[in-house]
Amino acid sequence: MIPDLTGIVLAGGKSSRFGANKALAPWRGAALVSGVVESLLGVLPRVLVVAKERTELMFLEKESVRVETDLYLEGHPLGGIRTGLEAIETRRAFVCACDMPLVAPNLISELWEARSGYDAVIPVWEGKRQPLCGIYSKICSGVIRTAIEDGQLEIGRLFDVVNTRFFLEEEIRAVDPEGRSFQDIDTREDFERIRGLAP
């Protein structure tokens, strides 16, 4: 358990390619978002879920889980990340999306161990940054607010401003050899494929 790290689950996307709210898709007898939250609670003491419609996800709330309404109506992850960072009590958060049910708890622990001296710790898998599977400090919130106000919604720009530790593929493979943590669900086909990968 990492007591000084809060989980933030982004559940405010439009799910346009999926055709329905992905967060509520059935997963192991519950909603997909429930599976993601419970997985994070295996290594983190608290999880904050950021949603556009808070009432849809109120069933998640308990002592260790809170649902927060996104500060931004637009469907971009920067707004959700800032909303979460503003709401948490810890200095840092692990951020992931509600459609990433295979995040490896050991990866979260390794990202945490790499945090010292950095404002963000972001995995790089197969040459691509994975900003929705990373650790962010509250310092990032102000930078994100300015970026949104300036209409700069590309999340990658954030890492040009804040002090970022890129967690490289060879480091990731030690705890997640196949990179399952970065599998996300965009379509129904993705959903069936990833459900088949789940242990």
Side-chain angles (χ1 to χ4, degrees):
M1 192 68 67
I2 307 172
D4 296 326
L5 187 64
T6 302
I8 295 176
V9 176
L10 303 182
K14 296 180 179 179
S15 302
S16 54
R17 293 174 61 191
F18 192 75
N21 187 345
K22 287 184 287 188
L24 301 178
W27 180 268
R28 295 182 174 181
L32 178 61
V33 65
S34 298
V36 174
V37 167
E38 290 304 315
S39 177
L40 295 188
L41 287 175
V43 68
L44 304 176
R46 291 167 300 278
V47 173
L48 180 78
V49 180
V50 179
K52 289 290 186 291
E53 297 292 339
R54 182 172 179 267
T55 53
E56 290 185 343
L57 301 181
M58 286 293 292
F59 66 89
L60 293 168
E61 290 213 332
K62 55 184 179 179
E63 185 177 355
S64 56
V65 182
R66 185 156 55 96
V67 181
E68 191 80 15
T69 301
D70 199 330
L71 294 171
Y72 301 88
L73 294 177
E74 302 87 349
H76 52 75
L78 278 180
I81 294 171
R82 179 175 182 243
T83 299
L85 290 175
E86 287 292 312
I88 62 172
E89 296 179 2
T90 54
R91 290 179 57 196
R92 289 181 172 86
F94 172 77
V95 175
C96 72
C98 71
D99 62 351
M100 300 173 69
L102 305 182
V103 173
N106 286 345
L107 176 62
I108 300 174
S109 298
E110 290 301 313
L111 296 177
W112 172 254
E113 292 299 324
R115 76 194 183 282
S116 183
Y118 296 96
D119 302 320
V121 184
I122 304 299
V124 179
W125 182 257
E126 295 182 343
K128 295 181 180 179
R129 297 174 179 178
Q130 304 292 330
L132 297 188
C133 189
I135 288 179
Y136 295 78
S137 74
K138 288 178 76 75
I139 290 172
C140 296
S141 179
V143 179
I144 292 172
R145 182 192 67 233
T146 300
I148 293 173
E149 290 173 351
D150 292 343
Q152 303 291 339
L153 303 182
E154 172 52 54
I155 194 169
R157 292 175 180 266
L158 174 65
F159 310 125
D160 296 330
V161 178
V162 302
N163 192 14
T164 302
R165 160 76 150 89
F166 292 109
F167 201 76
L168 303 181
E169 185 168 334
E170 55 265 31
E171 299 175 287
I172 296 166
R173 287 190 181 278
V175 291
D176 186 1
E178 298 177 355
R180 291 189 177 191
S181 296
F182 315 117
Q183 296 278 338
D184 63 344
I185 298 167
D186 290 325
T187 65
R188 296 281 179 175
E189 290 76 17
D190 291 338
F191 182 70
E192 294 302 325
R193 176 178 54 80
I194 291 174
R195 187 154 58 177
L197 293 174

PDB file of all heavy atoms in Angstrom, residues 6-11 33 37 41 45-51 54 57-69 83-90 138:
ATOM      1  N   THR A   6      -2.817   8.945  -4.157  1.00  0.00           N
ATOM      2  CA  THR A   6      -4.247   8.762  -4.420  1.00  0.00           C
ATOM      3  C   THR A   6      -4.439   8.342  -5.870  1.00  0.00           C
ATOM      4  O   THR A   6      -3.745   8.839  -6.755  1.00  0.00           O
ATOM      5  CB  THR A   6      -5.022  10.066  -4.165  1.00  0.00           C
ATOM      6  OG1 THR A   6      -4.806  10.487  -2.818  1.00  0.00           O
ATOM      7  CG2 THR A   6      -6.516   9.889  -4.406  1.00  0.00           C
ATOM      8  N   GLY A   7      -5.371   7.463  -6.106  1.00  0.00           N
ATOM      9  CA  GLY A   7      -5.719   7.104  -7.475  1.00  0.00           C
ATOM     10  C   GLY A   7      -6.754   8.058  -8.045  1.00  0.00           C
ATOM     11  O   GLY A   7      -7.700   8.444  -7.351  1.00  0.00           O
ATOM     12  N   ILE A   8      -6.568   8.467  -9.288  1.00  0.00           N
ATOM     13  CA  ILE A   8      -7.568   9.250 -10.012  1.00  0.00           C
ATOM     14  C   ILE A   8      -7.976   8.445 -11.239  1.00  0.00           C
ATOM     15  O   ILE A   8      -7.127   8.092 -12.057  1.00  0.00           O
ATOM     16  CB  ILE A   8      -7.031  10.631 -10.436  1.00  0.00           C
ATOM     17  CG1 ILE A   8      -6.722  11.498  -9.215  1.00  0.00           C
ATOM     18  CG2 ILE A   8      -8.039  11.342 -11.355  1.00  0.00           C
ATOM     19  CD1 ILE A   8      -6.090  12.846  -9.561  1.00  0.00           C
ATOM     20  N   VAL A   9      -9.258   8.144 -11.342  1.00  0.00           N
ATOM     21  CA  VAL A   9      -9.784   7.410 -12.494  1.00  0.00           C
ATOM     22  C   VAL A   9     -10.623   8.369 -13.327  1.00  0.00           C
ATOM     23  O   VAL A   9     -11.600   8.946 -12.829  1.00  0.00           O
ATOM     24  CB  VAL A   9     -10.629   6.203 -12.050  1.00  0.00           C
ATOM     25  CG1 VAL A   9     -11.240   5.505 -13.265  1.00  0.00           C
ATOM     26  CG2 VAL A   9      -9.782   5.215 -11.251  1.00  0.00           C
ATOM     27  N   LEU A  10     -10.246   8.548 -14.569  1.00  0.00           N
ATOM     28  CA  LEU A  10     -10.967   9.454 -15.471  1.00  0.00           C
ATOM     29  C   LEU A  10     -12.113   8.699 -16.130  1.00  0.00           C
ATOM     30  O   LEU A  10     -11.893   7.745 -16.873  1.00  0.00           O
ATOM     31  CB  LEU A  10     -10.019  10.012 -16.527  1.00  0.00           C
ATOM     32  CG  LEU A  10      -8.775  10.749 -16.004  1.00  0.00           C
ATOM     33  CD1 LEU A  10      -7.955  11.292 -17.171  1.00  0.00           C
ATOM     34  CD2 LEU A  10      -9.148  11.859 -15.040  1.00  0.00           C
ATOM     35  N   ALA A  11     -13.337   9.143 -15.850  1.00  0.00           N
ATOM     36  CA  ALA A  11     -14.519   8.474 -16.395  1.00  0.00           C
ATOM     37  C   ALA A  11     -15.450   9.481 -17.064  1.00  0.00           C
ATOM     38  O   ALA A  11     -16.667   9.335 -17.032  1.00  0.00           O
ATOM     39  CB  ALA A  11     -15.258   7.732 -15.284  1.00  0.00           C
ATOM     40  N   VAL A  33     -15.728   0.358 -14.631  1.00  0.00           N
ATOM     41  CA  VAL A  33     -15.078   1.336 -13.749  1.00  0.00           C
ATOM     42  C   VAL A  33     -14.887   0.759 -12.349  1.00  0.00           C
ATOM     43  O   VAL A  33     -13.890   1.052 -11.682  1.00  0.00           O
ATOM     44  CB  VAL A  33     -15.871   2.662 -13.712  1.00  0.00           C
ATOM     45  CG1 VAL A  33     -17.249   2.493 -13.088  1.00  0.00           C
ATOM     46  CG2 VAL A  33     -15.083   3.743 -12.993  1.00  0.00           C
ATOM     47  N   VAL A  37     -11.359   0.616 -10.309  1.00  0.00           N
ATOM     48  CA  VAL A  37     -11.246   1.185  -8.961  1.00  0.00           C
ATOM     49  C   VAL A  37     -10.756   0.138  -7.966  1.00  0.00           C
ATOM     50  O   VAL A  37      -9.837   0.392  -7.179  1.00  0.00           O
ATOM     51  CB  VAL A  37     -12.607   1.771  -8.515  1.00  0.00           C
ATOM     52  CG1 VAL A  37     -12.595   2.078  -7.022  1.00  0.00           C
ATOM     53  CG2 VAL A  37     -12.931   3.030  -9.310  1.00  0.00           C
ATOM     54  N   LEU A  41      -7.364   0.022  -5.604  1.00  0.00           N
ATOM     55  CA  LEU A  41      -7.451  -0.056  -4.146  1.00  0.00           C
ATOM     56  C   LEU A  41      -6.593  -1.184  -3.581  1.00  0.00           C
ATOM     57  O   LEU A  41      -6.365  -1.251  -2.377  1.00  0.00           O
ATOM     58  CB  LEU A  41      -8.904  -0.233  -3.704  1.00  0.00           C
ATOM     59  CG  LEU A  41      -9.790   1.012  -3.833  1.00  0.00           C
ATOM     60  CD1 LEU A  41     -11.230   0.677  -3.485  1.00  0.00           C
ATOM     61  CD2 LEU A  41      -9.284   2.156  -2.964  1.00  0.00           C
ATOM     62  N   PRO A  45      -4.676   3.665  -1.024  1.00  0.00           N
ATOM     63  CA  PRO A  45      -5.707   3.720   0.020  1.00  0.00           C
ATOM     64  C   PRO A  45      -6.974   4.448  -0.379  1.00  0.00           C
ATOM     65  O   PRO A  45      -8.037   4.210   0.191  1.00  0.00           O
ATOM     66  CB  PRO A  45      -5.009   4.447   1.167  1.00  0.00           C
ATOM     67  CG  PRO A  45      -3.969   5.300   0.499  1.00  0.00           C
ATOM     68  CD  PRO A  45      -3.518   4.509  -0.704  1.00  0.00           C
ATOM     69  N   ARG A  46      -6.877   5.336  -1.376  1.00  0.00           N
ATOM     70  CA  ARG A  46      -8.029   6.140  -1.777  1.00  0.00           C
ATOM     71  C   ARG A  46      -8.050   6.304  -3.288  1.00  0.00           C
ATOM     72  O   ARG A  46      -7.002   6.431  -3.927  1.00  0.00           O
ATOM     73  CB  ARG A  46      -7.966   7.546  -1.135  1.00  0.00           C
ATOM     74  CG  ARG A  46      -8.165   7.556   0.379  1.00  0.00           C
ATOM     75  CD  ARG A  46      -7.782   8.899   0.974  1.00  0.00           C
ATOM     76  NE  ARG A  46      -6.373   9.221   0.711  1.00  0.00           N
ATOM     77  CZ  ARG A  46      -5.359   8.759   1.432  1.00  0.00           C
ATOM     78  NH1 ARG A  46      -5.571   7.964   2.457  1.00  0.00           N
ATOM     79  NH2 ARG A  46      -4.123   9.088   1.125  1.00  0.00           N
ATOM     80  N   VAL A  47      -9.269   6.356  -3.833  1.00  0.00           N
ATOM     81  CA  VAL A  47      -9.444   6.578  -5.271  1.00  0.00           C
ATOM     82  C   VAL A  47     -10.504   7.647  -5.472  1.00  0.00           C
ATOM     83  O   VAL A  47     -11.557   7.633  -4.823  1.00  0.00           O
ATOM     84  CB  VAL A  47      -9.859   5.282  -5.999  1.00  0.00           C
ATOM     85  CG1 VAL A  47     -10.215   5.573  -7.463  1.00  0.00           C
ATOM     86  CG2 VAL A  47      -8.751   4.231  -5.921  1.00  0.00           C
ATOM     87  N   LEU A  48     -10.216   8.557  -6.389  1.00  0.00           N
ATOM     88  CA  LEU A  48     -11.159   9.599  -6.793  1.00  0.00           C
ATOM     89  C   LEU A  48     -11.545   9.339  -8.246  1.00  0.00           C
ATOM     90  O   LEU A  48     -10.661   9.203  -9.099  1.00  0.00           O
ATOM     91  CB  LEU A  48     -10.518  10.979  -6.661  1.00  0.00           C
ATOM     92  CG  LEU A  48     -11.391  12.171  -7.042  1.00  0.00           C
ATOM     93  CD1 LEU A  48     -12.374  12.488  -5.923  1.00  0.00           C
ATOM     94  CD2 LEU A  48     -10.534  13.399  -7.338  1.00  0.00           C
ATOM     95  N   VAL A  49     -12.831   9.259  -8.513  1.00  0.00           N
ATOM     96  CA  VAL A  49     -13.323   9.049  -9.877  1.00  0.00           C
ATOM     97  C   VAL A  49     -13.864  10.379 -10.395  1.00  0.00           C
ATOM     98  O   VAL A  49     -14.697  11.016  -9.738  1.00  0.00           O
ATOM     99  CB  VAL A  49     -14.427   7.978  -9.913  1.00  0.00           C
ATOM    100  CG1 VAL A  49     -14.930   7.775 -11.346  1.00  0.00           C
ATOM    101  CG2 VAL A  49     -13.912   6.654  -9.349  1.00  0.00           C
ATOM    102  N   VAL A  50     -13.386  10.819 -11.555  1.00  0.00           N
ATOM    103  CA  VAL A  50     -13.823  12.082 -12.151  1.00  0.00           C
ATOM    104  C   VAL A  50     -14.790  11.769 -13.282  1.00  0.00           C
ATOM    105  O   VAL A  50     -14.456  11.035 -14.212  1.00  0.00           O
ATOM    106  CB  VAL A  50     -12.632  12.898 -12.680  1.00  0.00           C
ATOM    107  CG1 VAL A  50     -13.117  14.209 -13.311  1.00  0.00           C
ATOM    108  CG2 VAL A  50     -11.635  13.176 -11.562  1.00  0.00           C
ATOM    109  N   ALA A  51     -16.002  12.318 -13.183  1.00  0.00           N
ATOM    110  CA  ALA A  51     -17.052  12.009 -14.154  1.00  0.00           C
ATOM    111  C   ALA A  51     -17.756  13.283 -14.603  1.00  0.00           C
ATOM    112  O   ALA A  51     -17.807  14.273 -13.873  1.00  0.00           O
ATOM    113  CB  ALA A  51     -18.076  11.055 -13.547  1.00  0.00           C
ATOM    114  N   ARG A  54     -21.901  12.963 -12.360  1.00  0.00           N
ATOM    115  CA  ARG A  54     -21.560  12.334 -11.083  1.00  0.00           C
ATOM    116  C   ARG A  54     -22.621  11.341 -10.632  1.00  0.00           C
ATOM    117  O   ARG A  54     -22.302  10.285 -10.069  1.00  0.00           O
ATOM    118  CB  ARG A  54     -21.365  13.424 -10.032  1.00  0.00           C
ATOM    119  CG  ARG A  54     -20.969  12.922  -8.663  1.00  0.00           C
ATOM    120  CD  ARG A  54     -20.615  14.085  -7.748  1.00  0.00           C
ATOM    121  NE  ARG A  54     -20.263  13.609  -6.417  1.00  0.00           N
ATOM    122  CZ  ARG A  54     -21.135  13.509  -5.422  1.00  0.00           C
ATOM    123  NH1 ARG A  54     -22.401  13.853  -5.627  1.00  0.00           N
ATOM    124  NH2 ARG A  54     -20.745  13.057  -4.243  1.00  0.00           N
ATOM    125  N   LEU A  57     -22.394   7.546 -11.375  1.00  0.00           N
ATOM    126  CA  LEU A  57     -21.370   6.714 -10.745  1.00  0.00           C
ATOM    127  C   LEU A  57     -21.396   6.779  -9.224  1.00  0.00           C
ATOM    128  O   LEU A  57     -20.463   6.322  -8.565  1.00  0.00           O
ATOM    129  CB  LEU A  57     -19.987   7.126 -11.260  1.00  0.00           C
ATOM    130  CG  LEU A  57     -19.771   7.013 -12.773  1.00  0.00           C
ATOM    131  CD1 LEU A  57     -18.358   7.419 -13.131  1.00  0.00           C
ATOM    132  CD2 LEU A  57     -20.042   5.597 -13.260  1.00  0.00           C
ATOM    133  N   MET A  58     -22.478   7.286  -8.671  1.00  0.00           N
ATOM    134  CA  MET A  58     -22.570   7.398  -7.219  1.00  0.00           C
ATOM    135  C   MET A  58     -22.509   6.044  -6.521  1.00  0.00           C
ATOM    136  O   MET A  58     -22.148   5.949  -5.346  1.00  0.00           O
ATOM    137  CB  MET A  58     -23.863   8.132  -6.834  1.00  0.00           C
ATOM    138  CG  MET A  58     -23.823   9.628  -7.109  1.00  0.00           C
ATOM    139  SD  MET A  58     -22.634  10.473  -6.054  1.00  0.00           S
ATOM    140  CE  MET A  58     -23.411  10.303  -4.459  1.00  0.00           C
ATOM    141  N   PHE A  59     -22.842   4.986  -7.259  1.00  0.00           N
ATOM    142  CA  PHE A  59     -22.805   3.649  -6.665  1.00  0.00           C
ATOM    143  C   PHE A  59     -21.384   3.249  -6.242  1.00  0.00           C
ATOM    144  O   PHE A  59     -21.206   2.321  -5.451  1.00  0.00           O
ATOM    145  CB  PHE A  59     -23.371   2.610  -7.647  1.00  0.00           C
ATOM    146  CG  PHE A  59     -22.553   2.415  -8.888  1.00  0.00           C
ATOM    147  CD1 PHE A  59     -21.533   1.483  -8.931  1.00  0.00           C
ATOM    148  CD2 PHE A  59     -22.801   3.173 -10.029  1.00  0.00           C
ATOM    149  CE1 PHE A  59     -20.769   1.295 -10.073  1.00  0.00           C
ATOM    150  CE2 PHE A  59     -22.037   3.001 -11.180  1.00  0.00           C
ATOM    151  CZ  PHE A  59     -21.025   2.057 -11.200  1.00  0.00           C
ATOM    152  N   LEU A  60     -20.383   3.951  -6.756  1.00  0.00           N
ATOM    153  CA  LEU A  60     -18.996   3.636  -6.417  1.00  0.00           C
ATOM    154  C   LEU A  60     -18.590   4.157  -5.048  1.00  0.00           C
ATOM    155  O   LEU A  60     -17.636   3.670  -4.451  1.00  0.00           O
ATOM    156  CB  LEU A  60     -18.050   4.241  -7.457  1.00  0.00           C
ATOM    157  CG  LEU A  60     -18.093   3.677  -8.876  1.00  0.00           C
ATOM    158  CD1 LEU A  60     -17.307   4.595  -9.812  1.00  0.00           C
ATOM    159  CD2 LEU A  60     -17.533   2.267  -8.907  1.00  0.00           C
ATOM    160  N   GLU A  61     -19.311   5.157  -4.545  1.00  0.00           N
ATOM    161  CA  GLU A  61     -18.841   5.865  -3.358  1.00  0.00           C
ATOM    162  C   GLU A  61     -18.870   4.993  -2.103  1.00  0.00           C
ATOM    163  O   GLU A  61     -19.811   4.254  -1.851  1.00  0.00           O
ATOM    164  CB  GLU A  61     -19.656   7.143  -3.139  1.00  0.00           C
ATOM    165  CG  GLU A  61     -19.386   8.222  -4.182  1.00  0.00           C
ATOM    166  CD  GLU A  61     -19.499   9.616  -3.615  1.00  0.00           C
ATOM    167  OE1 GLU A  61     -20.254   9.809  -2.644  1.00  0.00           O
ATOM    168  OE2 GLU A  61     -18.829  10.527  -4.148  1.00  0.00           O
ATOM    169  N   LYS A  62     -17.768   5.075  -1.367  1.00  0.00           N
ATOM    170  CA  LYS A  62     -17.629   4.454  -0.058  1.00  0.00           C
ATOM    171  C   LYS A  62     -16.510   5.188   0.650  1.00  0.00           C
ATOM    172  O   LYS A  62     -16.036   6.221   0.158  1.00  0.00           O
ATOM    173  CB  LYS A  62     -17.346   2.961  -0.181  1.00  0.00           C
ATOM    174  CG  LYS A  62     -16.146   2.592  -1.047  1.00  0.00           C
ATOM    175  CD  LYS A  62     -16.035   1.085  -1.177  1.00  0.00           C
ATOM    176  CE  LYS A  62     -14.868   0.679  -2.059  1.00  0.00           C
ATOM    177  NZ  LYS A  62     -14.744  -0.789  -2.173  1.00  0.00           N
ATOM    178  N   GLU A  63     -16.073   4.685   1.795  1.00  0.00           N
ATOM    179  CA  GLU A  63     -15.077   5.423   2.566  1.00  0.00           C
ATOM    180  C   GLU A  63     -13.801   5.701   1.780  1.00  0.00           C
ATOM    181  O   GLU A  63     -13.200   6.768   1.904  1.00  0.00           O
ATOM    182  CB  GLU A  63     -14.724   4.639   3.832  1.00  0.00           C
ATOM    183  CG  GLU A  63     -13.780   5.391   4.758  1.00  0.00           C
ATOM    184  CD  GLU A  63     -13.507   4.626   6.040  1.00  0.00           C
ATOM    185  OE1 GLU A  63     -14.120   3.558   6.243  1.00  0.00           O
ATOM    186  OE2 GLU A  63     -12.681   5.094   6.844  1.00  0.00           O
ATOM    187  N   SER A  64     -13.395   4.766   0.930  1.00  0.00           N
ATOM    188  CA  SER A  64     -12.133   4.914   0.204  1.00  0.00           C
ATOM    189  C   SER A  64     -12.311   5.418  -1.229  1.00  0.00           C
ATOM    190  O   SER A  64     -11.325   5.599  -1.946  1.00  0.00           O
ATOM    191  CB  SER A  64     -11.398   3.568   0.171  1.00  0.00           C
ATOM    192  OG  SER A  64     -12.232   2.558  -0.390  1.00  0.00           O
ATOM    193  N   VAL A  65     -13.547   5.654  -1.656  1.00  0.00           N
ATOM    194  CA  VAL A  65     -13.813   6.061  -3.049  1.00  0.00           C
ATOM    195  C   VAL A  65     -14.767   7.250  -3.065  1.00  0.00           C
ATOM    196  O   VAL A  65     -15.810   7.232  -2.408  1.00  0.00           O
ATOM    197  CB  VAL A  65     -14.435   4.904  -3.866  1.00  0.00           C
ATOM    198  CG1 VAL A  65     -14.652   5.349  -5.310  1.00  0.00           C
ATOM    199  CG2 VAL A  65     -13.547   3.665  -3.813  1.00  0.00           C
ATOM    200  N   ARG A  66     -14.384   8.268  -3.822  1.00  0.00           N
ATOM    201  CA  ARG A  66     -15.234   9.448  -3.985  1.00  0.00           C
ATOM    202  C   ARG A  66     -15.394   9.746  -5.467  1.00  0.00           C
ATOM    203  O   ARG A  66     -14.466   9.538  -6.256  1.00  0.00           O
ATOM    204  CB  ARG A  66     -14.586  10.641  -3.267  1.00  0.00           C
ATOM    205  CG  ARG A  66     -15.435  11.903  -3.249  1.00  0.00           C
ATOM    206  CD  ARG A  66     -15.023  12.792  -2.072  1.00  0.00           C
ATOM    207  NE  ARG A  66     -13.607  13.106  -2.075  1.00  0.00           N
ATOM    208  CZ  ARG A  66     -13.091  14.222  -2.594  1.00  0.00           C
ATOM    209  NH1 ARG A  66     -13.871  15.113  -3.169  1.00  0.00           N
ATOM    210  NH2 ARG A  66     -11.794  14.442  -2.538  1.00  0.00           N
ATOM    211  N   VAL A  67     -16.558  10.237  -5.844  1.00  0.00           N
ATOM    212  CA  VAL A  67     -16.823  10.631  -7.228  1.00  0.00           C
ATOM    213  C   VAL A  67     -16.915  12.145  -7.284  1.00  0.00           C
ATOM    214  O   VAL A  67     -17.640  12.763  -6.494  1.00  0.00           O
ATOM    215  CB  VAL A  67     -18.120   9.990  -7.762  1.00  0.00           C
ATOM    216  CG1 VAL A  67     -18.359  10.401  -9.224  1.00  0.00           C
ATOM    217  CG2 VAL A  67     -18.061   8.470  -7.642  1.00  0.00           C
ATOM    218  N   GLU A  68     -16.185  12.741  -8.216  1.00  0.00           N
ATOM    219  CA  GLU A  68     -16.121  14.202  -8.345  1.00  0.00           C
ATOM    220  C   GLU A  68     -16.590  14.598  -9.744  1.00  0.00           C
ATOM    221  O   GLU A  68     -16.249  13.945 -10.733  1.00  0.00           O
ATOM    222  CB  GLU A  68     -14.685  14.674  -8.123  1.00  0.00           C
ATOM    223  CG  GLU A  68     -14.527  16.160  -7.983  1.00  0.00           C
ATOM    224  CD  GLU A  68     -14.887  16.656  -6.581  1.00  0.00           C
ATOM    225  OE1 GLU A  68     -14.989  15.844  -5.644  1.00  0.00           O
ATOM    226  OE2 GLU A  68     -15.076  17.875  -6.444  1.00  0.00           O
ATOM    227  N   THR A  69     -17.355  15.670  -9.829  1.00  0.00           N
ATOM    228  CA  THR A  69     -17.797  16.180 -11.130  1.00  0.00           C
ATOM    229  C   THR A  69     -16.661  16.930 -11.808  1.00  0.00           C
ATOM    230  O   THR A  69     -16.007  17.779 -11.195  1.00  0.00           O
ATOM    231  CB  THR A  69     -18.998  17.123 -10.963  1.00  0.00           C
ATOM    232  OG1 THR A  69     -20.064  16.411 -10.323  1.00  0.00           O
ATOM    233  CG2 THR A  69     -19.478  17.627 -12.322  1.00  0.00           C
ATOM    234  N   THR A  83      -9.099  18.429 -12.453  1.00  0.00           N
ATOM    235  CA  THR A  83     -10.179  18.267 -11.478  1.00  0.00           C
ATOM    236  C   THR A  83      -9.743  17.348 -10.347  1.00  0.00           C
ATOM    237  O   THR A  83      -9.935  17.650  -9.167  1.00  0.00           O
ATOM    238  CB  THR A  83     -11.436  17.696 -12.153  1.00  0.00           C
ATOM    239  OG1 THR A  83     -11.891  18.609 -13.164  1.00  0.00           O
ATOM    240  CG2 THR A  83     -12.548  17.468 -11.147  1.00  0.00           C
ATOM    241  N   GLY A  84      -9.145  16.227 -10.711  1.00  0.00           N
ATOM    242  CA  GLY A  84      -8.696  15.284  -9.702  1.00  0.00           C
ATOM    243  C   GLY A  84      -7.608  15.844  -8.817  1.00  0.00           C
ATOM    244  O   GLY A  84      -7.655  15.701  -7.586  1.00  0.00           O
ATOM    245  N   LEU A  85      -6.623  16.493  -9.420  1.00  0.00           N
ATOM    246  CA  LEU A  85      -5.512  17.043  -8.645  1.00  0.00           C
ATOM    247  C   LEU A  85      -5.978  18.116  -7.663  1.00  0.00           C
ATOM    248  O   LEU A  85      -5.425  18.254  -6.565  1.00  0.00           O
ATOM    249  CB  LEU A  85      -4.439  17.602  -9.576  1.00  0.00           C
ATOM    250  CG  LEU A  85      -3.646  16.578 -10.386  1.00  0.00           C
ATOM    251  CD1 LEU A  85      -2.694  17.289 -11.353  1.00  0.00           C
ATOM    252  CD2 LEU A  85      -2.858  15.634  -9.470  1.00  0.00           C
ATOM    253  N   GLU A  86      -6.990  18.877  -8.061  1.00  0.00           N
ATOM    254  CA  GLU A  86      -7.522  19.906  -7.168  1.00  0.00           C
ATOM    255  C   GLU A  86      -8.275  19.297  -5.989  1.00  0.00           C
ATOM    256  O   GLU A  86      -8.363  19.900  -4.915  1.00  0.00           O
ATOM    257  CB  GLU A  86      -8.446  20.849  -7.948  1.00  0.00           C
ATOM    258  CG  GLU A  86      -7.737  21.796  -8.891  1.00  0.00           C
ATOM    259  CD  GLU A  86      -6.904  22.829  -8.134  1.00  0.00           C
ATOM    260  OE1 GLU A  86      -7.409  23.441  -7.182  1.00  0.00           O
ATOM    261  OE2 GLU A  86      -5.721  23.007  -8.492  1.00  0.00           O
ATOM    262  N   ALA A  87      -8.807  18.092  -6.177  1.00  0.00           N
ATOM    263  CA  ALA A  87      -9.691  17.502  -5.169  1.00  0.00           C
ATOM    264  C   ALA A  87      -8.970  16.585  -4.173  1.00  0.00           C
ATOM    265  O   ALA A  87      -9.500  16.325  -3.092  1.00  0.00           O
ATOM    266  CB  ALA A  87     -10.810  16.726  -5.853  1.00  0.00           C
ATOM    267  N   ILE A  88      -7.790  16.100  -4.525  1.00  0.00           N
ATOM    268  CA  ILE A  88      -7.121  15.126  -3.653  1.00  0.00           C
ATOM    269  C   ILE A  88      -6.414  15.817  -2.492  1.00  0.00           C
ATOM    270  O   ILE A  88      -6.095  17.003  -2.553  1.00  0.00           O
ATOM    271  CB  ILE A  88      -6.118  14.252  -4.438  1.00  0.00           C
ATOM    272  CG1 ILE A  88      -4.999  15.118  -5.040  1.00  0.00           C
ATOM    273  CG2 ILE A  88      -6.844  13.436  -5.492  1.00  0.00           C
ATOM    274  CD1 ILE A  88      -3.877  14.297  -5.669  1.00  0.00           C
ATOM    275  N   GLU A  89      -6.148  15.045  -1.445  1.00  0.00           N
ATOM    276  CA  GLU A  89      -5.455  15.569  -0.272  1.00  0.00           C
ATOM    277  C   GLU A  89      -3.967  15.249  -0.292  1.00  0.00           C
ATOM    278  O   GLU A  89      -3.180  15.913   0.385  1.00  0.00           O
ATOM    279  CB  GLU A  89      -6.100  15.008   0.997  1.00  0.00           C
ATOM    280  CG  GLU A  89      -7.545  15.456   1.172  1.00  0.00           C
ATOM    281  CD  GLU A  89      -8.189  14.867   2.414  1.00  0.00           C
ATOM    282  OE1 GLU A  89      -7.490  14.145   3.158  1.00  0.00           O
ATOM    283  OE2 GLU A  89      -9.382  15.137   2.629  1.00  0.00           O
ATOM    284  N   THR A  90      -3.567  14.227  -1.045  1.00  0.00           N
ATOM    285  CA  THR A  90      -2.150  13.887  -1.139  1.00  0.00           C
ATOM    286  C   THR A  90      -1.452  14.803  -2.154  1.00  0.00           C
ATOM    287  O   THR A  90      -2.111  15.461  -2.967  1.00  0.00           O
ATOM    288  CB  THR A  90      -1.967  12.423  -1.564  1.00  0.00           C
ATOM    289  OG1 THR A  90      -2.702  12.185  -2.778  1.00  0.00           O
ATOM    290  CG2 THR A  90      -2.471  11.487  -0.486  1.00  0.00           C
ATOM    291  N   LYS A 138       0.571  17.711  -7.572  1.00  0.00           N
ATOM    292  CA  LYS A 138      -0.408  18.804  -7.586  1.00  0.00           C
ATOM    293  C   LYS A 138       0.142  20.043  -8.284  1.00  0.00           C
ATOM    294  O   LYS A 138      -0.636  20.901  -8.726  1.00  0.00           O
ATOM    295  CB  LYS A 138      -0.849  19.131  -6.157  1.00  0.00           C
ATOM    296  CG  LYS A 138      -1.744  18.064  -5.548  1.00  0.00           C
ATOM    297  CD  LYS A 138      -2.122  18.396  -4.116  1.00  0.00           C
ATOM    298  CE  LYS A 138      -3.183  19.465  -4.023  1.00  0.00           C
ATOM    299  NZ  LYS A 138      -4.521  18.955  -4.379  1.00  0.00           N
TER     300      LYS A 138
END
